[in-house]
Each structure stands twice: as C-alpha cells, then as structure tokens.
Amino acid sequence: MTKAEKPLFQEGAIMQDSLKDKQIVLGVCGGIAAYKSVELLRMLVKQGAEVRVLMTRNAQSFVGPLTFEALSGRPVGRDLFDDAAQGSIRHIEWARNAHAVIIAPATANMIGKLAGGIADDALSTFLLAVTAPRLICPSMNTHMYENMAVQRNLDQLEADGYHIIEPAAGELACGETGPGRLAEPAYIVDRLFHHLCKKDWSGIRVLVTAGPTREAIDPVRYISNHSSGKMGYAVARAAEYRGAEVTLVSGPTRLAPPFGVKTVDVVSACEMAAAVFEHGAEADLIIKVAAVADYRPQTAAAHKIKKSAEEMSLPLVKNMDILKELGEHKRGRVLVGFAAETDDLTEYALAKLKAKHLDMIVGNLVGSPSSGFGADTNQVTLYHADGTQEALPNMAKETVAHVLLDRIHTRFFAKKVDHDSC
Ligand code: PMT
C-alpha cells in the first residue's frame, strides 16, 4: 500500500475503554461544523468517557440538543439559569470534576470571549472555572480564521494554557478553500489522549521501528512476513503521548502515521538500516519492533519473472542485522529488541539479547490469534541484561507499550516511575 492509500485517521488506533472513568466536557458553539461534534461525542462515549455537553444558544440552531442528550445519556447544559434548582453552581461542579474539556467547534466569538476573560453564557462561564486540560478546536471561514484579531486571541489562549487544535485546510461549507475546517474527530480524540498523559518522557529522543520489510524478487513480487505494524506503532504513539520526541521508521503497513511522530517510510531491510542509522544517531533509546527480513534475493529481476520450468530456486543473501550493528556501536544509547518466537521463548530471546548486546529484549509469543503478528493483543515477557525477567499477561498492544515504557523509564531514565501514566 502506498503512502497516499493509507487511511488518514484510525479510530481503532486507540484501544477501547481508554477513557473509562474519565469525565469529559464537550462545549459546542454555533458553527456549521457542530454536526461533527456529534461524531466526536460518539467516539468519546465509545472509549468509555462520561461526557457532558454544553451548547451555546447559537449551536442549538445547527444541531438539536436532543441528539447530544441521546448520545451522551445526560442532559445538555444550555443556559446559565436553565436549572432553577442548581443555577450556575452546576457548571462549577462540572468544571471541578472534568478531566478535560473540548470546545468543538470553537467560534471566533467564543475564542474572543475566552481571550478577554468574558463570561456571559453557560459555556464561557464554565470555562473560566476549569483547571483541567482545555482543547480549543477552531472552525470558521478562512478569512475569519486568518483575521489578525482571531490569531491574536488564539495566541493569547495558548499563552493562557489552552491547547489549540489547528483546523484542517480544505473546501469549507462557505465555498472557500483554506484553513478553517474543524479538525477530524479522530485527531481531536488522539490529541485528548496526548494531553491527558503525564509527560514523564519529556526531552527523551526515541526511535522505534515497526512493520515488516519487503525484499523484492522482481517488480511485482517480494519476500515479507505478517507484521502489521500494530505493536511498533503502539509504542511510538505511547511515547509521543508521554512527551518523548519520537521517530518511527516503518516498513509497509496499512496504519496511519501516528500524530506528532516523525514517520519515515521504508520498504526493504537495506532502506530500514539506512533510515535507522541516519535518524537514530541522536536517539537516547532505540526500540526495534520491526520484523526485518533476514534474507533478500541476491538480485531483484528488472522485469517480471516468467513461468517456465517446473521448479525454480531463488538465491538469497543475508541482510545486515541492524540491531546487532547498533549493539556493537552503542554510543550510550539504550537498545531494546523484540523476539517473536513460537517455542522456547526464553532460550531464543536470551540468546538474541546477548548476541546483539541489548539492554532489554521483549520475548513475544507468536502463533496464536491473540498474540503476535496482526493481533490487537500481545503476550510478552521482558528480559533484562541483568538476568531479571517479567512475564506480562496477555494485554492490548497499547497497554503492552505503556508497561514497556514504564519499565524502560524506571531502569534507564528515572529513579521513580509513575505507573498511572495516562
Ligand atoms: O507488527 P505486529 O503485527 O503488531 O506484530 C508485532 C511483532 C510480532 C512483529 C513484534 O512484536 C515482534 O516480535 N517483532 C520482532 C520480530 C522478530 O522475530 O524479530 P527477530 O527475532 O528476527 O529479530 C530480533 C530483533 O532484531 C528485532 O528487534 C529485530 O527488529 C532486529 N533485527 C532482526 C533482523 C535484522 N536483519 N535486523 C534487525 O534489526
């Protein structure tokens, strides 16, 4: 699959129930993109979040509150005084309990009010009382968005600690083309995860490899394996959520590049080696999750090989062992490998740990639908260079990624680790 064919957004990239027990407030302002907030709400609820929706008066002209009420399962806040029994106190309570707030779409009017500290309706009043992360997702006509007053107000909001989720560029409902389109809901949810995570990896440069490599036989055939890239992408995404500066060197996969991660696409083992040596030179940590082909055809035919003889053999030559090469020139970098094995996991993993001079190797039991290649879950054992090991239960690959980062952080980058990273 070429880069252009890759899906831009992947809802499934974030595991189910990741927002369980999280209280999120979704503020909806009056803009044509209000309908996209319905999709955003659906995604938040699907991740297990308890979502409370606050709508401005104008927002209700675009989408009826009933839609939000039905999807969130809770009454929608519309007016400062719409609940005679509790009045504005309810908004203070929502502010106190919120783990995060998303304003989508955020109009020029709301952005201006917040920048000026004005509280003249339920949403703006509520926002002044919030201390949790606040994501502002602007959506408006391109000229409005580029207007100096709006840009000045956005700068002010950023300086005040709001997180601005840049609008996308494209054709807008008003017929113009340019920036101003509400960011995709999947992107907003992804950034929510980013802002909910503690930044314990801040300032650490991490290079991750993922996916398979393809070794060309001729222009239409290749040797490869079943790696989907899910495990490596989960590690890259988790490290980015936690504040690391992440580069992902990826073989061909069907996955969208993780947001906030510098992704370098490669095809063959030789290309992967070149990319790893170039981008890993300054890394503090290299995690090699990729399933690199050990051999490649001696020559890749320039034209499609025609069917003729009953048998044919294909001379193969050994690819460079990238991780082994890195291990022989460590230069202070922490090196973590993965070993996919169908049997004798400990024996094979420990042999690779030693031979490649690694600090840790993740032994990955493969061959069952719930672990290894292509699966959403994984069963791994962590083997350390000092001889200690830790078998983890079968978990979502995202959870494996976070636990792996916890363990690496404890051993190599901090004295103390916080296990509740997100
Ligand atoms: O992508 P998924 O579908 O999510 O599947 C994840 C996975 C099963 C591919 C992953 O979890 C995994 O186990 N990756 C390692 C695959 C493997 O068996 O690697 P290996 O035993 O061939 O190599 C050991 C280590 O050396 C790996 O870190 C590998 O990246 C590295 N290596 C191997 C060969 C080579 N020429 N260069 C390398 O750097």
Side-chain angles (χ1 to χ4, degrees):
M1 174 172 272
T2 65
K3 204 174 171 187
E5 290 169 311
K6 282 189 174 190
L8 254 186
F9 302 105
Q10 278 172 283
E11 197 181 335
I14 299 163
M15 66 181 166
Q16 294 280 313
D17 275 347
S18 301
L19 292 171
K20 197 166 177 296
D21 300 328
K22 293 276 188 280
Q23 296 197 15
I24 309 295
V25 175
L26 174 61
V28 185
C29 303
I32 189 72
Y35 77 93
K36 273 192 176 175
S37 308
V38 177
E39 171 65 3
L40 177 59
L41 170 61
R42 191 193 64 75
M43 289 174 72
L44 293 169
V45 169
K46 200 170 156 194
Q47 298 298 336
E50 289 174 25
V51 188
R52 297 187 184 281
V53 180
L54 269 169
M55 297 180 82
T56 63
R57 193 180 299 266
N58 288 338
Q60 295 164 52
S61 305
F62 289 91
V63 183
L66 257 181
T67 307
F68 288 105
E69 262 176 35
L71 281 172
S72 69
R74 291 176 174 77
V76 168
R78 297 184 240 178
D79 198 291
L80 259 181
F81 306 106
D82 61 1
D83 184 337
Q86 295 172 14
S88 60
I89 303 299
R90 188 177 61 181
H91 302 116
I92 301 296
E93 192 188 306
W94 285 18
R96 195 180 295 130
N97 295 335
H99 290 96
V101 177
I102 304 172
I103 307 300
T107 54
N109 183 48
M110 182 56 71
I111 289 165
K113 283 204 281 189
L114 296 178
I118 294 169
D120 66 350
D121 64 2
L123 185 53
S124 53
T125 305
F126 159 81
L127 277 162
L128 288 193
V130 173
T131 54
R134 296 156 301 180
L135 280 64
I136 301 287
C137 312
S139 168
M140 64 197 78
N141 164 275
T142 297
H143 297 304
M144 282 174 77
Y145 178 68
E146 288 173 344
N147 181 285
M148 283 173 70
V150 173
Q151 288 300 316
R152 199 167 52 237
N153 288 335
L154 284 169
D155 288 346
Q156 184 60 55
L157 289 188
E158 199 150 37
D160 291 347
Y162 286 83
H163 304 293
I164 311 298
I165 309 298
E166 298 288 335
E171 198 177 324
L172 305 179
C174 58
E176 288 186 24
T177 303
R181 211 165 62 182
L182 183 69
E184 289 301 322
Y187 179 61
I188 298 172
V189 174
D190 184 89
R191 291 302 84 190
L192 174 69
F193 275 90
H194 176 88
H195 291 297
L196 282 174
C197 271
K198 287 187 182 163
K199 298 291 175 277
D200 55 343
W201 278 78
S202 196
I204 303 171
R205 293 159 300 187
V206 180
L207 182 133
V208 181
T209 68
T213 63
R214 283 182 188 169
E215 313 302 322
I217 297 171
D218 67 16
V220 297
R221 303 181 180 97
Y222 53 81
I223 298 173
S224 190
N225 58 66
H226 292 296
S227 172
S228 62
K230 287 179 188 173
M231 188 65 244
Y233 276 55
V235 172
R237 198 179 304 111
E240 194 273 339
Y241 286 168
R242 294 168 67 163
E245 193 185 305
V246 186
T247 301
L248 172 66
V249 176
S250 174
T253 73
R254 301 177 66 85
L255 306 177
F259 300 114
V261 168
K262 177 176 173 183
T263 303
V264 181
D265 288 314
V266 298
V267 176
S268 65
C270 290
E271 285 176 23
M272 183 169 280
V276 167
F277 296 140
E278 182 187 341
H279 298 279
E282 303 295 320
D284 302 302
L285 163 69
I286 297 179
I287 308 181
K288 285 218 76 245
V289 193
V292 187
D294 288 324
Y295 293 90
R296 67 177 183 276
Q298 193 168 34
T299 48
H303 302 285
K304 185 181 171 191
I305 299 171
K306 296 292 172 209
K307 184 167 54 179
S308 52
E310 281 307 305
E311 288 179 12
M312 80 173 271
S313 55
L314 196 63
L316 302 177
V317 292
K318 215 170 184 179
N319 276 326
M320 173 199 279
D321 190 321
I322 309 166
L323 194 50
K324 189 159 184 277
E325 186 69 21
L326 290 169
E328 281 161 9
H329 307 92
K330 281 187 92 165
R331 301 198 187 104
R333 294 171 294 201
V334 174
L335 291 185
V336 176
F338 268 66
E341 309 293 346
T342 50
D343 49 84
D344 297 323
L345 183 68
T346 301
E347 186 190 330
Y348 288 127
L350 287 178
K352 287 174 186 174
L353 174 87
K354 200 163 168 237
K356 303 188 189 206
H357 310 285
L358 307 180
D359 297 288
M360 182 194 284
I361 194 156
V362 181
N364 196 160
L365 207 58
V366 298
S368 91
S370 61
S371 182
F373 294 91
D376 290 331
T377 51
N378 219 357
Q379 174 111 36
V380 304
T381 300
L382 312 181
Y383 299 93
H384 301 278
D386 65 6
T388 55
Q389 49 181 270
E390 178 184 8
L392 300 177
N394 192 291
M395 301 187 289
K397 282 181 175 169
E398 280 74 14
T399 312
V400 172
H402 279 288
V403 174
L404 175 62
L405 291 176
D406 282 347
R407 301 300 184 266
I408 297 172
H409 196 277
T410 313
R411 285 190 174 245
F412 305 106
F413 296 101
K415 301 234 173 333
K416 187 171 145 294
V417 71
D418 187 340
H419 291 268
D420 184 17
S421 308
C422 287

